Amino acid sequence: MLFYPKRRFKEQDRFVPIYIRITLDGKRYEWTTGRKCNFDDWDRTTHRVKGNKEAARDINCWLDTLYARAHTCRQDLYLAGKGFTPLHVRKLMQGEELDPPKMLSQAWGYHANQIAGLVGKSYTQGTLVKYNTALKALKKFILLKFQLDDIRLDKIDYQFIKDYDFYLKADYGVKNNTAIQMQKKLRTVMKIAYEIGWIRRDPYLAYRAKTEEVNREFLTTEELGALAIKKFSSKRLRVVRDLFLFSCYTGLSYADAVKLRSTDILKGDDGGLWLQTHRVKNNNRVRVPLISPAIRLIDHYKSYPRFLDEDFVLPQLSNQKANAGLKEIMKVMGWTKWLTFHCARHTFATTVTLTNGVPIETVGQMLGHKNIRSTQLYARVTDTKVSIDMKPLKKKYEGQQLELTNNN
């Protein structure tokens, strides 16, 4: 490292800027020290300004400071164990970041691209759509709060997370549980960025969120029976009703039900028919012994028109059209409860199985859940089940005698 006065070509001014030059492994980088001196006063042996005047001492003191600073930065870079250049020394000396800071869009794009590449393997198309939806909300928040299109990862801290949570609920207009799901997307991206080394701390370490219990609609035994025998004049509504009933009797989601093929219907060890498939959502295996109504629906649609060589068990209908048809069915049935296709899984868990004494562990396995906690979100103990379970206890206490005093 050395200092030198730099006189430009044909420059006549006696006072010229003093430059610092750092050379490392043949690579050179130089920049101005911010000081000037008389070109004739420069000592080419000591690389300092000649003389003992106050101006000379001030300049030389500053150059000594830069010299010590440069060697300290070089030592710090060496101890870090990474390769470095003179430019890295200069950046560290001037308090600049050695590497460009990573942006949120880079981390989000990194994870989203991996999801897109694994759709159909580890992820579903629905997962990618949810990430894109969460990113749109996040961009709106960043634009509103910071007037920026993007933000550095190291600027996302606990306050950012709390403000984003408030924005989702107050301004973006989503409910608590939806806000938590959108936060989970950002939390996953930040965790990946932390593990890669793009940020030094995980901003979600102190974040805690509590989901609210949701009133999950399901059909009672009476309602399920009424729907099963209802005659609809519209063929479209009959198909929607039958698809819904099939899920009520098997616990399959809409996506799993419509992709079911004849090869997924097997004969079990008990001699009865079983369906065996893998869930679209998480690829978990599902095995369900088929009850009579489900078998009759399969047989009914064996002669349903198919396209080309399709081998689907049930008619193919988009999820949007199926849910729209359910809204019409609600009106025809005179029901006020809000039906969606997912209500069928709740009906299977609550009305068809648990109410009839099927253990919750068995129900969870048929629903394709990895743990019992997921099943408990669907399962609801109905009054019928409570009544059945309480009968032995009521009978036990029927003859219980009590010593009661007269209140008069």
Side-chain angles (χ1 to χ4, degrees):
M1 181 178 64
L2 60 84
F3 300 100
Y4 68 96
K6 188 172 185 180
R7 174 180 278 178
R8 295 179 180 177
F9 184 65
K10 294 184 180 180
E11 189 174 40
Q12 299 301 319
D13 192 352
R14 289 186 307 160
F15 286 89
V16 294
I18 302 174
Y19 272 67
I20 177 174
R21 176 188 294 163
I22 293 180
T23 306
L24 178 65
D25 295 333
K27 295 180 180 179
R28 177 185 295 180
Y29 195 88
E30 58 186 37
W31 70 98
T32 178
T33 62
R35 297 291 190 273
K36 288 185 175 182
C37 73
N38 189 320
F39 187 79
D40 295 332
D41 290 341
W42 186 257
D43 189 332
R44 288 175 173 78
T45 302
T46 63
H47 301 287
R48 296 293 188 274
V49 179
K50 300 175 185 177
N52 228 357
K53 294 181 180 180
E54 183 178 351
R57 291 199 308 270
D58 179 67
I59 293 173
N60 289 337
C61 181
W62 174 244
L63 298 183
D64 290 341
T65 300
L66 291 179
Y67 187 88
R69 175 68 176 156
H71 278 280
T72 299
C73 292
R74 174 188 176 277
Q75 186 71 5
D76 290 343
L77 288 167
Y78 180 78
L79 292 174
K82 296 181 179 180
F84 60 93
T85 67
L87 178 59
H88 289 108
V89 177
R90 195 271 296 171
K91 284 187 174 182
L92 196 60
M93 286 178 65
Q94 297 183 338
E96 296 182 21
E97 293 174 292
L98 298 181
D99 298 308
K102 296 294 184 180
M103 306 299 287
L104 175 62
S105 60
Q106 291 176 277
W108 199 285
Y110 174 81
H111 186 50
N113 288 337
Q114 288 199 334
I115 293 175
L118 294 173
V119 168
K121 299 175 182 177
S122 303
Y123 298 96
T124 66
Q125 185 64 34
T127 301
L128 185 59
V129 171
K130 290 176 182 177
Y131 267 89
N132 291 337
T133 301
L135 181 59
K136 289 179 182 178
L138 193 53
K139 283 184 174 181
K140 287 184 178 180
F141 167 69
I142 294 171
L143 183 61
L144 178 67
K145 185 171 179 63
F146 304 100
Q147 290 75 53
L148 296 172
D149 295 327
D150 203 355
I151 190 170
R152 290 169 45 159
L153 287 174
D154 58 5
K155 296 298 182 182
I156 299 178
D157 53 15
Y158 183 73
Q159 183 178 353
F160 179 99
I161 294 167
K162 292 295 291 182
D163 291 344
Y164 179 48
D165 189 68
F166 177 81
Y167 165 79
L168 288 173
K169 298 172 185 175
D171 298 328
Y172 200 67
V174 299
K175 295 183 179 179
N176 178 73
N177 290 1
T178 304
I180 291 174
Q181 291 302 317
M182 297 177 81
Q183 284 274 19
K184 282 184 177 180
K185 306 295 184 297
L186 177 58
R187 185 174 196 164
T188 299
V189 170
M190 296 305 294
K191 183 180 180 182
I192 291 173
Y194 172 72
E195 291 173 347
I196 290 176
W198 289 351
I199 52 176
R200 294 183 178 181
R201 56 183 174 77
D202 183 356
Y204 275 91
L205 283 177
Y207 175 75
R208 298 291 183 272
K210 186 176 182 180
T211 57
E212 296 176 352
E213 185 175 350
V214 178
N215 182 28
R216 302 175 183 272
E217 296 283 8
F218 67 98
L219 298 186
T220 64
T221 302
E222 294 74 18
E223 290 169 337
L224 183 60
L227 181 62
I229 63 174
K230 180 68 177 179
K231 294 182 179 180
F232 292 93
S233 58
S234 168
K235 179 182 178 182
R236 176 177 58 86
L237 291 186
R238 290 199 299 271
V239 170
V240 173
R241 186 273 310 271
D242 291 347
L243 288 173
F244 183 82
L245 286 176
F246 186 81
S247 286
C248 288
Y249 296 135
T250 61
L252 293 183
S253 67
Y254 175 82
D256 296 329
V258 295
K259 79 176 183 67
L260 207 61
R261 296 179 179 270
S262 60
T263 52
D264 298 323
I265 309 301
L266 309 171
K267 191 170 184 179
D269 294 337
D270 58 0
L273 291 179
W274 289 58
L275 68 82
Q276 177 176 298
T277 185
H278 288 80
R279 295 194 64 195
V280 171
K281 183 177 181 179
N282 52 24
N283 203 38
N284 289 347
R285 193 183 75 152
V286 174
R287 282 177 56 86
V288 182
L290 295 174
I291 58 178
S292 178
I295 295 173
R296 293 204 300 271
L297 284 169
I298 292 173
D299 291 338
H300 176 73
Y301 282 101
K302 281 183 177 179
S303 59
Y304 193 80
R306 301 291 198 276
F307 292 100
L308 301 176
D309 58 347
E310 287 181 347
D311 190 30
F312 294 112
V313 171
L314 300 171
Q316 299 299 289
L317 196 65
S318 71
N319 195 7
Q320 184 179 5
K321 290 183 178 179
N323 280 315
L326 284 178
K327 305 303 179 289
E328 297 181 52
I329 289 175
M330 284 168 49
K331 296 179 181 178
V332 174
M333 299 299 295
W335 293 339
T336 56
K337 61 178 56 178
W338 188 256
L339 286 187
T340 63
F341 212 92
H342 209 62
C343 171
R345 273 173 73 81
H346 306 162
T347 302
F348 175 79
T350 304
T351 304
V352 175
T353 54
L354 288 173
T355 300
N356 291 298
V358 179
I360 192 170
E361 295 83 4
T362 303
V363 176
Q365 185 175 354
M366 290 189 291
L367 290 173
H369 290 160
K370 289 184 177 180
N371 57 68
I372 201 69
R373 291 175 58 189
S374 300
T375 312
Q376 289 170 339
L377 296 176
Y378 287 87
R380 182 179 306 168
V381 181
T382 62
D383 292 341
T384 303
K385 184 68 167 61
V386 172
S387 177
I388 294 173
D389 291 342
M390 285 294 290
K391 275 184 179 179
L393 189 63
K394 290 169 69 176
K395 186 175 182 180
K396 178 179 179 179
Y397 280 90
E398 278 181 357
Q400 179 69 49
Q401 294 184 355
L402 294 174
E403 181 64 32
L404 302 174
T405 59
N406 195 333
N407 291 328
N408 295 330

